[in-house]
């Protein structure tokens, strides 16, 4: 099924479901969840699959919850505000989690505040960021290509928590933008609900992901080179 756009009722359902805050209410309205949220998300994943596999054949592309589609249930062990459900949803394309830690990847998400898409390394470990910095300081070609690709475009902004004091005060400002961050993402936000409800969302996302493909090549190399923490079972 081709992606035809979301509808305004998609956000209405997410907001109402969060406010109801009831598993019983959710089960009674599961058909709405399937029709308004999951069905268009699955179609969007399927339509973007050729583009993301062209960027990286190792991406997970199954249009399933827990694979490329976020869960609507929140992890109540980690959040203490009492809300059981999310009012925002997203899709993400990452490699298989063979290293048992967060992987960099492309994403698209939406909620009451609007839309966002781009590329991020949100759960990068300190060891991964140290690996990235070493590659930058060595001026490796993968970084040079990633930096040039980011500089050529005007759609995405670099984000990520910074250290309070630069760790590389002698480096040029354009390099400190990368070196002085604890995590990195490259994001584009929008409140264009006409786009949200349009099939034109697919080519827009596909074009944006292609623009950021050199960044994925760089961060994939970072991920491959960084020290990997084995799961507890494997360490015994």
């Amino acid at each position: 099924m081709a992606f035809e756009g979301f509808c305004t009722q998609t956000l209405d359902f997410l907001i109402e479901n969060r406010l109801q805050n009831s598993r019983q209410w959710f089960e009674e309205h599961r058909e709405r969840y399937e029709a308004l949220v999951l069905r268009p998300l699955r179609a969007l994943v399927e339509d973007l699959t050729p583009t993301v596999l062209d960027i990286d054949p190792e991406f997970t592309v199954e249009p399933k919850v827990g694979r490329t589609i976020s869960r609507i249930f929140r992890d109540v062990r980690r959040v203490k505000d009492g809300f059981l459900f999310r009012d925002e949803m997203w899709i993400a394309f990452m490699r298989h989690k063979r290293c048992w830690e967060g992987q960099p990847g492309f994403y698209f998400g939406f909620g009451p505040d609007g839309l966002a898409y781009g590329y991020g390394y949100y759960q990068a470990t300190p060891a991964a960021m140290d690996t990235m910095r070493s590659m930058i300081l060595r001026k490796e070609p993968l970084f040079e290509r990633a930096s040039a690709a980011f500089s050529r475009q005007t759609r995405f902004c670099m984000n990520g928590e910074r250290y309070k004091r630069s760790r590389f005060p002698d480096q040029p400002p354009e390099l400190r933008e990368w070196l002085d961050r604890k995590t990195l993402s490259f994001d584009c936000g929008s409140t264009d609900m006409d786009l949200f409800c349009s099939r034109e969302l697919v080519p827009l996302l596909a074009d944006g992901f292609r623009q950021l493909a050199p960044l994925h090549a760089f961060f994939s190399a970072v991920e491959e080179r960084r020290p990997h923490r084995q799961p507890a079972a494997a360490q015994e």
Side-chain angles (χ1 to χ4, degrees):
M1 180 182 68
F3 178 76
E4 297 293 335
F6 296 95
C7 59
T8 55
Q9 290 91 340
T10 301
L11 289 174
D12 292 341
F13 170 80
L14 291 176
I15 295 170
E16 184 178 6
N17 181 57
R18 181 175 169 87
L19 293 177
Q20 291 288 340
N21 204 34
S22 163
R23 291 179 182 272
Q24 179 179 342
W25 190 91
F26 174 76
E27 292 300 333
E28 291 172 353
H29 296 80
R30 182 175 281 274
E31 289 186 3
R32 290 175 61 197
Y33 166 64
E34 291 279 344
L36 298 173
V37 181
L38 278 189
R39 192 176 301 160
L41 281 173
R42 291 190 188 108
L44 184 59
V45 169
E46 291 173 351
D47 281 7
L48 287 170
T49 290
T51 296
V52 298
L53 287 182
D54 187 53
I55 293 172
D56 187 342
E58 293 190 49
F59 273 140
T60 295
V61 293
E62 294 173 83
K64 295 180 180 179
V65 172
R67 300 295 285 168
T68 54
I69 299 173
S70 65
R71 294 177 173 86
I72 194 169
F73 290 96
R74 302 173 78 205
D75 188 344
V76 295
R77 298 169 300 176
R78 299 183 179 182
V79 291
K80 306 300 182 183
D81 58 13
F83 286 104
L84 302 174
F85 300 95
R86 306 181 190 281
D87 60 1
E88 55 186 22
M89 294 287 288
W90 63 87
I91 61 173
F93 298 100
M94 297 181 291
R95 292 181 174 182
H96 295 287
K97 296 183 178 180
R98 295 169 300 188
C99 300
W100 306 285
E101 297 173 37
Q103 300 258 328
F106 295 97
Y107 79 93
F108 164 76
F110 63 89
D113 295 331
L115 327 174
Y117 62 100
Y119 184 83
Y121 203 174
Y122 301 102
Q123 298 181 46
T125 63
M129 296 304 287
D130 284 342
T131 300
M132 180 202 77
R133 295 183 190 102
S134 295
M135 295 173 68
I136 291 173
L137 293 173
R138 288 196 299 268
K139 299 182 179 180
E140 294 201 11
L142 280 171
F143 171 69
E144 297 293 315
R145 287 194 286 271
S147 178
F150 178 68
S151 298
R152 284 194 300 268
Q153 61 79 46
T154 58
R155 190 189 311 189
F156 299 95
C157 296
M158 184 187 299
N159 294 303
E161 183 183 0
R162 295 175 180 269
Y163 288 100
K164 292 182 179 179
R165 180 178 298 177
S166 176
R167 300 174 65 186
F168 302 89
D170 296 332
Q171 294 296 323
E174 62 270 17
L175 286 188
R176 294 203 303 270
E177 281 292 306
W178 299 73
L179 295 167
D180 285 337
R181 296 183 187 268
K182 299 179 182 180
T183 59
L184 271 171
S185 66
F186 306 85
D187 312 292
C188 177
S190 174
T191 57
D192 186 348
M193 298 312 297
D194 289 337
L195 176 63
F196 181 66
C197 298
S198 168
R199 68 179 65 184
E200 294 305 311
L201 184 62
V202 172
L204 179 82
L205 295 178
D207 179 66
F209 292 171
R210 283 191 291 266
Q211 286 188 36
L212 298 178
L215 282 84
H216 177 66
F218 171 57
F219 283 105
S220 294
V222 171
E223 184 67 19
E224 290 166 359
R225 297 186 196 181
R226 71 171 175 88
H228 290 109
R229 173 174 56 84
Q230 300 293 316
Q235 294 174 350
E236 296 175 355

